[in-house]
Amino acid sequence: MWKILIVDDQRNMRSAITMMLRGGDYQIEHASDGDMACKRIGSENFDLVITDLKMTPTDGMDVLRFTKSEVPLTEVIVMTAYGT
């Protein structure tokens, strides 16, 4: 079973992603901001991190950099709703 961390500052986006992954053999966890995500990544094992790009003060690129420095084998998907 894969353990996935979904990171987004908008609850509805975390819920939507969770619903899309429903039915798979996944354990889904959530973090409401980048700081919380980095704390969890530093203390728990995740197979995949799906993070929003635009968050403050710790954004998705910070989450990506932290994850790759702490657990390089964990895959990271950075997403955004912004066209720019």
Side-chain angles (χ1 to χ4, degrees), residues 10-80:
Q10 295 182 11
R11 185 173 47 94
N12 62 339
M13 285 303 296
R14 292 191 308 269
S15 297
I17 296 166
T18 299
M19 288 175 54
M20 287 189 299
L21 295 173
R22 187 182 322 187
D25 190 24
Y26 309 119
Q27 177 182 342
I28 307 293
E29 302 288 332
H30 299 108
S32 59
D33 60 51
D35 290 334
M36 180 187 294
C38 290
K39 288 178 187 169
R40 295 199 63 185
I41 292 163
S43 64
E44 299 177 51
N45 293 321
F46 293 98
D47 298 294
L48 174 64
V49 175
I50 302 174
T51 183
D52 185 20
L53 177 63
K54 300 276 188 176
M55 298 181 291
T56 57
T58 304
D59 68 13
M61 293 307 291
D62 295 327
V63 172
L64 170 64
R65 282 189 283 274
F66 180 83
T67 303
K68 289 303 181 179
S69 72
E70 294 296 311
V71 283
L73 295 179
T74 298
E75 297 295 335
V76 179
I77 297 172
V78 179
M79 61 181 183
T80 186

